[in-house]
């Protein structure tokens, strides 16, 4: 489930709900902080666009932490089109979309 990867990435990177919420709003999200918290706990479903906006906010904040010297390879939030790369156990976070 997509909410689990966002929540796990936030916990591993010590990102707060407030930090993610503000970045999510600045990225075009429109749900309130309570709804975001409920989503991250698996209590409410969100549209694909909103889930991807949250994943983007989490991943951008992780990138910011890494840019200022955070170490390690924290887990990332997945996007709705992410898929497991066969035989590797890794996620392809930017799958190619078929056109036509």
């Amino acid at each position: 489930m997509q909410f689990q990867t966002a929540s796990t990435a936030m916990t591993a990177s010590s990102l707060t709900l407030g930090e993610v919420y503000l970045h999510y709003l600045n990225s075009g999200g429109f749900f309130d902080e309570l709804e975001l918290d409920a989503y991250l706990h698996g209590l409410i479903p969100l549209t694909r666009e909103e889930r991807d906006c949250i994943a983007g906010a989490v991943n951008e904040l992780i990138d910011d932490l890494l840019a200022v010297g955070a170490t390690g390879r924290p887990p990332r939030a997945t996007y709705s089109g992410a898929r497991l790369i066969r035989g590797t156990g890794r996620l392809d976070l930017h799958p190619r979309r078929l056109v036509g």
Side-chain angles (χ1 to χ4, degrees):
M1 299 292 259
Q2 201 172 351
F3 74 90
Q4 290 171 323
T5 65
S7 182
T8 299
M10 287 173 61
T11 300
S13 301
S14 299
L15 295 172
T16 67
L17 177 64
E19 290 171 315
V20 171
Y21 176 66
L22 287 177
H23 200 73
Y24 159 75
L25 280 181
N26 289 329
S27 299
F30 64 88
F31 285 101
D32 66 33
E33 191 171 352
L34 182 62
E35 290 168 312
L36 175 61
D37 191 33
Y39 164 73
L40 291 169
H41 286 90
L43 300 175
I44 63 170
L46 296 180
T47 65
R48 172 185 289 211
E49 292 80 15
E50 289 304 307
R51 294 190 318 261
D52 286 346
C53 188
I54 293 165
V58 169
N59 290 337
E60 288 171 10
L61 289 170
I62 290 170
D63 289 342
D64 291 347
L65 291 172
L66 294 172
V68 296
T71 59
R73 290 186 64 133
R76 312 282 287 181
T78 57
Y79 295 93
S80 58
R83 60 187 168 87
L84 194 61
I85 300 172
R86 190 181 320 208
T88 67
R90 294 180 308 151
L91 288 173
D92 179 2
L93 296 179
H94 303 287
R96 290 163 278 307
R97 300 199 191 280
L98 297 176
V99 178

